[in-house]
Amino acid sequence: MTDLFEEHKTNDARSVECLGIKFDSNADRRNYFIGLLREKLKDPAFRSQPGFPVASDDAILEMSDPPYYTACPNPWLTDFVDLKGQRYDPNSEYSREPMAVDVSFGKSDPLYQAHAYHTKVPHLAIVPSILHFTRPGELVLDGFSGSGMTGIAAQWCGVAPPSFRHEIEEAWKKEGRAKPEWGFRRAILNDLSPAATYISANQNIPFRVSDFQVAARKLLAQLKEEIGWMYETLHTDGKTRGEIEYTVWGEIFSCPECVSEIDFIQEAFDEDQKVRSEFHCPKCGANLNKDRLERVFEARIDPATGQSWERIKFRPALIRYSIGKSKFDKKPDADDLRNLDKISELPLPSGIPTDRFPIEDMYHGSRIAPKGFTNVHHFFLPRAQHALARMWQLASGYADARLRHILIYYVEQAIWTSSILNRFQPQGFKQVNKYLPGVYYVPSKHCEVSPWYAIGSRGDRIARIFSKFQAKADHAIITTGSADNLGIPDNSIDYIFTDPPFGENIFYADLNFLVESWHRVKTASREEAIVDKHKGKKLLEYQRLMQGCFSEYFRALKPGRWMTVVFSNSKAAVWNAIQVALQQAGFVVAEVNALDKVLGSYRQVTSTTAVKQDLVISAYKPNGGLEKRLSERGAAPESAWDFVQTHLRQLPVTKAKSGVLEMVVERDPRRIYDRMVAWFVRHDFPVPLSTEEFLDGLRNRYPERDGMVFLPEQVAEYDRKRAQAAQAPQMELFVSDERSAIDWLTDFLRKRPSTYQEVHPEFTTQVGAGWRKHEEKPELSALLADNFLRYDGNGDVPSQIHSYLSTNFRDLRGLEKDDARLKAKAKDRWFVPDPSKAKDLEQKRERALLKEFESYKSAPGRKLKEFRLEVLRAGFKTAWGAKDYKTIIGIAQKIPEDALQEDEKLLLWYDQALTRMEADA
């Protein structure tokens, strides 16, 4: 008996076992599950699931390889979990700290480059995270799996070569960490896009490499036999026939002065193939640049419809061809032009998709439609149409389903590079097949490559790659659908790694339309979690969609286990939407790290607006005991301290970079308070402690070091590491609003009690370009008076000032606190109050903030042009406690939308108020 899909070791006629069922052959296994899937597809309820692709039953069945891959929601996920997973045991011991992932690592690895996709995290970057958070045999989930890198990483843990293992083990040893447990993990992979899951399936399900290599070569050989004449050209000797590698086509424009045609390649490009800033019209001599040129359209008959069709005009400008091993360039001659005309007169090949792009609902629609490209077949010149259609037909003709799918996986890599999106970008004598990523962009200089040039060497390369990495049978299951409805049992997943779409970075459904049209199975774009004005999806809807996905993650993940979220977006509003969605789903964020692309290392994020780098979020699902105790106690102070106790246990005790201790930002008292507030709000409870009560209680209950809070059993470890460090860790502060300005002043005055005149120039440099647009800038004098204390010269010099002066001024050393010289130097210096005084100031400040909030409520007019975020935060929190959701929503409507979306705390209150109002309606 052999394992399912071990076809690289066995043939299709050998017996297999799949999901506990024995079959005489893989063909029998496939026929059995295809039959079950066919029956499922007849069920309207099954087809009505969120994210179900737009496709016929036959197209879905043709694309699928059940039960381990379906081009629709996979009905066998529960069976896979039950057979391959491990039941949640609340008594089992499990403890991990957060871990950052270097998402730039491994992009040059051949396996990463086996198939292109719009964005992906390299599998080598994911492996350390899976090793850290899981044990061999455990289940890893990625609901936004794209091309399946998480699945490859899960299996790589079992097949990693000795050199890679040694590198990881040495790095962990230097960090004082235990040796990783090597071994296969199993993966559940989901994506909304059928194009993505098809790539994922072919990379995560094993196949016979030798059979693929033979079939790929045979396919190209047969193609050459049938249509090789289309790619022949006459050598300059007038006798020898050469093989065309690629043809460069240039767009034709017209001169705005004399209306004569301008051959863009001939007139606008210099010897280095760069566009000249200025060039001349060859007819009238007018000075021109690309912006001054006017497009020329040519009338054609659409071969799919027989109707008149206009598109921008192209003309072949250069042919690169080979004779034996020699390469030659030539301008197209009369024989070449006759050959192109002959091809264009042929009927449109059967099998080529002619679907119309949903231009009206596409972000890129305004880029391609005005140039005349509205349908899939428009993106391929006639010769490329015939080549692609025949390759697809040949690959689809194989009876062996696994071989058929891997061949189509191979052929579909020619789709983008064979289209008019492929730019001419020569490097020496080699053309780099490269389209502009993330967009439908038709260049003015297009390179039409032959199929042998496009993917001829790729078949052998794929064979080499997958002969070194062969996926293990029954270790990955792939499904196609929405991440908010995965159909996985509760509390069954051991770890989640996910790289979801962020805001309006990339429009995956639009970009996948080109490839999915060939499969005849398309993304259900309505379910796509993006910001897209063309589809009517604003940031709030994106947040709700992501919250639904994170809620599904939360349900499936085992209590006490971790999720890693990779974030890449430069907009603070999107970052805040993600944070709120995570917290509303029930996750607690334990750490956020940002990749320093210059140094190639991670630093912790200290500002919610510092999101111009790749971020890695570590979040955990609290254990079931914490949830249970909260439901029993309700909104009691004990529940708050119970949360703090659990949360501190999940945080790293120390963080170091290059041997230097760093702040563990999540251990900052105010950050802990924010996490606690989000926890109670998510559970629809009022927050049981005010800010000052919480901070005061934190100081009384837990030891504090260098501005960070620890459990009693953790502080000894920190003290040990701190004693070995050259200096205390420093908090990196970004001043962008009143709260961060107060935090900066606290840090500054704690180190250096100063007069107003001494603070002012330092403070002014901090409150600069990074200040939030709608936030009212407070006066320094008001911030000092409301939050700090000033020594007026009466009584003994406060200890904080005494320590600073006696340390930094030689003539003041050894003086008593009542010495006149010391008092004179200390007079008018501002300092950070001790905890008891700080509590009084905080209460006084809270009353002032709420008083100002009342003025916001009664302010005339529909909008507040300037306001204090601290006033809004205090007011929203108080209104929430009083269940006054109407006030929160009303004030939120008075402030600009971007101001609301760029503040995580306001967004949290507002989102919950909307939810409660909807629930009560």
Side-chain angles (χ1 to χ4, degrees):
M1 185 67 62
T2 60
D3 289 332
L4 175 63
F5 288 151
E6 263 189 34
E7 298 182 59
H8 57 296
K9 295 180 180 178
T10 65
N11 59 54
D12 206 54
R14 296 287 294 273
S15 59
V16 295
E17 183 173 321
C18 176
L19 297 184
I21 306 172
K22 296 178 181 179
F23 299 93
D24 291 337
S25 68
N26 249 322
D28 288 345
R29 184 272 306 170
R30 288 190 178 99
N31 290 336
Y32 173 78
F33 284 105
I34 283 287
L36 292 179
L37 183 59
R38 190 184 302 278
E39 290 303 311
K40 279 279 184 184
L41 290 169
K42 294 177 182 177
D43 181 1
F46 180 72
R47 270 189 159 274
S48 65
Q49 293 179 81
F52 199 97
V54 181
S56 67
D57 290 2
D58 287 342
I60 289 173
L61 291 168
E62 186 176 325
M63 196 175 184
S64 301
D65 194 356
Y68 284 83
Y69 169 57
T70 57
C72 64
N74 195 320
W76 292 282
L77 292 182
T78 297
D79 296 331
F80 182 85
V81 171
D82 289 343
L83 283 167
K84 308 300 180 183
Q86 302 164 9
R87 289 182 178 274
Y88 168 59
D89 180 4
N91 298 316
S92 65
E93 291 188 8
Y94 177 88
S95 177
R96 298 289 191 279
E97 291 183 352
M99 180 181 181
V101 182
D102 183 351
V103 296
S104 67
F105 175 68
K107 290 189 175 181
S108 61
D109 185 83
L111 188 51
Y112 173 81
Q113 297 178 339
H115 196 300
Y117 194 63
H118 316 297
T119 60
K120 51 184 174 179
V121 177
H123 64 287
L124 294 183
I126 307 172
V127 168
S129 185
I130 293 178
L131 289 171
H132 173 76
F133 287 110
T134 67
R135 304 180 184 98
E138 292 190 329
L139 285 179
V140 177
L141 168 66
D142 187 350
F144 297 95
S145 60
S147 59
M149 291 292 107
T150 300
I152 291 175
Q155 301 197 59
W156 186 266
C157 293
V159 298
S163 58
F164 181 83
R165 296 188 183 211
H166 177 74
E167 183 181 348
I168 295 292
E169 289 171 3
E170 286 299 305
W172 286 27
K173 186 177 180 180
K174 288 179 182 178
E175 296 171 8
R177 299 168 57 192
K179 189 176 179 179
E181 293 184 69
W182 297 97
F184 287 95
R185 277 70 167 168
R186 288 184 166 88
I188 299 175
L189 308 173
N190 172 79
D191 201 274
L192 191 67
S193 163
T197 57
Y198 193 72
I199 301 170
S200 181
N202 279 287
Q203 297 187 147
N204 280 279
I205 299 173
F207 62 95
R208 281 201 304 267
V209 173
S210 58
D211 284 4
F212 160 73
Q213 192 169 23
V214 170
R217 290 174 178 174
K218 181 181 177 182
L219 184 151
L220 290 181
Q222 186 171 347
L223 184 73
K224 183 171 288 187
E225 185 179 328
E226 294 180 9
I227 65 165
W229 63 269
M230 294 185 180
Y231 293 91
E232 287 184 355
T233 187
L234 193 61
H235 188 40
T236 51
D237 63 5
K239 299 176 182 179
T240 313
R241 307 297 291 185
E243 183 178 307
I244 295 175
E245 293 187 345
Y246 58 79
T247 302
V248 181
W249 295 72
E251 187 174 355
I252 303 300
F253 293 90
S254 68
C255 173
E257 301 294 335
C258 67
V259 200
S260 63
E261 286 192 348
I262 303 289
D263 187 318
F264 192 64
I265 289 181
Q266 185 174 327
E267 306 300 337
F269 284 87
D270 61 20
E271 297 78 10
D272 297 324
Q273 297 300 321
K274 294 181 180 178
V275 179
R276 296 186 180 96
S277 57
E278 283 192 350
F279 48 92
H280 299 283
C281 173
K283 186 172 183 180
C284 70
N287 277 340
L288 302 173
N289 57 45
K290 189 174 182 181
D291 292 337
R292 290 197 66 204
L293 298 178
E294 296 178 359
R295 283 203 174 99
V296 174
F297 287 82
E298 60 179 352
R300 306 174 70 89
I301 298 298
D302 191 323
T305 64
Q307 302 298 312
S308 178
W309 167 46
E310 280 195 346
R311 68 156 169 82
I312 53 176
K313 189 174 183 178
F314 289 110
R315 182 178 295 159
L318 173 73
I319 293 176
R320 163 66 55 81
Y321 62 101
S322 61
I323 299 175
K325 293 185 178 180
S326 300
K327 312 285 185 182
F328 303 94
D329 288 338
K330 61 177 276 191
K331 288 186 177 181
D333 56 30
D335 185 64
D336 295 312
L337 297 178
R338 280 194 298 271
N339 203 38
L340 289 172
D341 288 340
K342 178 182 175 181
I343 296 168
S344 65
E345 290 170 1
L346 293 173
L348 188 73
S350 62
I352 190 166
T354 59
D355 310 55
R356 183 180 183 275
F357 278 85
I359 292 168
E360 297 78 13
D361 298 327
M362 286 176 62
Y363 173 77
H364 302 121
S366 59
R367 296 174 181 267
I368 58 176
K371 296 182 180 182
F373 304 106
T374 58
N375 294 61
V376 171
H377 64 289
H378 292 168
F379 281 75
F380 305 96
L381 296 177
R383 184 163 48 187
Q385 291 175 355
H386 287 276
L388 270 176
R390 186 56 181 144
M391 281 197 293
W392 194 273
Q393 189 178 40
L394 289 170
S396 302
Y398 277 80
D400 183 320
R402 188 67 196 96
L403 183 56
R404 180 173 70 248
H405 287 305
I406 195 66
L407 281 171
I408 293 174
Y409 160 91
Y410 164 60
V411 168
E412 73 174 15
Q413 299 191 46
I415 292 176
W416 277 74
T417 53
S418 296
S419 74
I420 56 169
L421 304 168
N422 194 37
R423 296 176 291 168
F424 180 51
Q425 289 194 311
Q427 290 182 359
F429 282 98
K430 186 170 178 62
Q431 149 70 8
V432 179
N433 294 328
K434 193 172 184 181
Y435 45 86
L436 202 64
V439 64
Y440 285 113
Y441 170 72
V442 179
S444 298
K445 193 165 58 167
H446 156 58
C447 186
E448 180 202 9
V449 295
S450 78
W452 304 277
Y453 193 88
I455 60 170
S457 62
R458 184 169 284 270
D460 289 343
R461 194 171 127 208
I462 289 172
R464 285 195 303 271
I465 291 168
F466 285 98
S467 64
K468 294 177 181 178
F469 168 78
Q470 258 292 356
K472 191 172 176 64
D474 75 7
H475 269 58
I477 187 166
I478 300 99
T479 179
T480 310
S482 177
D484 68 356
N485 183 49
L486 294 172
I488 298 171
D490 294 354
N491 304 327
S492 61
I493 299 299
D494 298 292
Y495 172 58
I496 296 170
F497 184 95
T498 194
D499 177 21
F502 288 102
E504 50 190 337
N505 273 16
I506 294 179
F507 302 91
Y508 291 92
D510 290 353
L511 292 171
N512 287 330
F513 190 91
L514 185 63
V515 172
E516 289 175 356
S517 294
W518 286 84
H519 286 286
R520 297 176 295 122
V521 183
K522 300 188 186 73
T523 299
S525 60
R526 186 179 61 182
E527 308 294 333
E528 190 176 23
I530 57 171
V531 177
D532 189 346
K533 63 181 181 181
H534 292 82
K535 294 182 176 66
K537 292 182 178 179
K538 295 185 177 180
L539 188 60
L540 186 59
E541 185 175 357
Y542 164 76
Q543 179 187 315
R544 293 293 179 88
L545 287 166
M546 286 306 308
Q547 185 175 322
C549 298
F550 286 142
S551 294
E552 182 71 349
Y553 278 163
F554 187 86
R555 181 192 64 76
L557 189 65
K558 291 176 180 177
R561 293 297 191 125
W562 289 85
M563 175 171 71
T564 299
V565 182
V566 176
F567 174 93
S568 182
N569 192 294
S570 61
K571 292 186 178 180
V574 178
W575 167 226
N576 287 323
I578 284 292
Q579 290 197 97
V580 170
L582 277 169
Q583 292 171 151
Q584 296 288 59
F587 285 102
V588 180
V589 175
E591 190 167 87
V592 181
N593 287 278
L595 176 65
D596 186 329
K597 293 182 178 178
V598 176
L599 299 177
S601 61
Y602 273 84
R603 65 174 180 81
Q604 293 175 83
V605 174
T606 55
S607 169
T608 57
T609 59
V611 296
K612 294 188 181 297
Q613 299 133 308
D614 292 324
L615 303 184
V616 177
I617 307 163
S618 295
Y620 64 89
K621 177 178 178 177
N623 61 53
L626 181 64
E627 297 265 1
K628 182 180 178 183
R629 292 191 296 275
L630 176 62
S631 64
E632 291 171 351
R633 293 172 178 160
E638 292 80 6
S639 297
W641 301 122
D642 190 13
F643 170 82
V644 172
Q645 186 83 7
T646 300
H647 186 54
L648 290 176
R649 194 175 293 116
Q650 299 282 41
L651 305 180
V653 176
T654 59
K655 295 283 288 185
K657 183 174 71 176
S658 303
V660 178
L661 272 186
E662 289 187 322
M663 287 289 294
V664 180
V665 178
E666 290 296 329
R667 290 189 178 275
D668 176 85
R670 288 190 177 274
R671 187 67 69 95
I672 297 170
Y673 178 71
D674 290 343
R675 300 302 182 209
M676 184 273 294
V677 168
W679 172 253
F680 277 87
V681 170
R682 187 262 170 180
H683 288 85
D684 202 19
F685 283 119
V687 181
L689 296 169
S690 66
T691 308
E692 62 274 7
E693 288 171 336
F694 181 83
L695 296 177
D696 190 42
L698 209 59
R699 283 185 287 263
N700 293 329
R701 284 174 168 79
Y702 300 99
E704 189 172 330
R705 298 287 191 277
D706 299 322
M708 296 178 288
V709 178
F710 297 88
L711 294 174
E713 60 268 27
Q714 294 173 331
V715 78
E717 180 185 344
Y718 180 79
D719 287 342
R720 254 192 333 270
K721 295 285 181 71
R722 175 66 183 86
Q724 299 167 3
Q727 63 181 40
Q730 305 294 313
M731 175 74 83
E732 186 180 4
L733 294 171
F734 298 88
V735 178
S736 59
D737 59 13
E738 184 177 339
R739 177 70 263 165
S740 55
I742 295 169
D743 291 340
W744 183 87
L745 284 169
T746 301
D747 185 66
F748 181 88
L749 294 175
R750 186 176 278 125
K751 298 173 186 173
R752 180 181 157 191
S754 305
T755 64
Y756 175 88
Q757 289 76 17
E758 290 171 336
V759 176
H760 187 267
E762 299 276 359
F763 181 75
T764 303
T765 61
Q766 295 295 320
V767 186
W771 194 261
R772 295 193 182 192
K773 183 168 64 172
H774 303 286
E775 169 82 325
E776 183 181 321
K777 284 189 179 180
E779 293 291 336
L780 174 60
S781 56
L783 287 179
L784 291 170
D786 290 345
N787 300 281
F788 304 95
L789 298 176
R790 180 176 64 86
Y791 176 60
D792 60 4
N794 295 317
D796 290 351
V797 174
S799 297
Q800 191 183 140
I801 301 179
H802 176 260
S803 175
Y804 169 72
L805 293 177
S806 60
T807 301
N808 292 277
F809 295 88
R810 184 177 297 178
D811 58 328
L812 300 179
R813 290 175 185 171
L815 300 181
E816 297 296 325
K817 292 183 179 180
D818 59 354
D819 189 284
R821 289 169 294 172
L822 188 70
K823 293 171 72 172
K825 189 70 173 177
K827 191 172 186 297
D828 291 330
R829 288 183 182 272
W830 291 91
F831 63 99
V832 179
D834 62 46
S836 60
K837 294 285 182 66
K839 183 178 178 181
D840 293 339
L841 280 174
E842 190 79 35
Q843 289 174 334
K844 177 183 174 185
R845 182 170 178 272
E846 184 88 3
R847 288 193 294 270
L849 291 173
L850 291 176
K851 184 177 180 181
E852 190 168 343
F853 184 72
E854 290 299 317
S855 70
Y856 287 6
K857 289 165 65 176
S858 58
R862 299 182 62 187
K863 294 291 181 183
L864 293 169
K865 292 183 179 179
E866 276 203 337
F867 41 82
R868 294 170 62 193
L869 286 173
E870 284 294 278
V871 170
L872 294 176
R873 291 166 182 164
F876 278 25
K877 178 188 165 188
T878 301
W880 171 264
K883 298 187 182 298
D884 185 4
Y885 311 126
K886 189 174 180 181
T887 289
I888 295 174
I889 295 171
I891 294 293
Q893 291 172 346
K894 283 190 172 188
I895 64 176
E897 188 176 349
D898 58 346
L900 176 69
Q901 291 167 343
E902 290 180 6
D903 189 85
E904 176 195 349
K905 299 178 182 68
L906 295 184
L907 196 58
L908 177 69
W909 298 117
Y910 175 65
D911 183 73
Q912 271 295 306
L914 281 177
T915 301
R916 296 314 310 155
M917 287 286 282
E918 290 169 2
D920 295 342

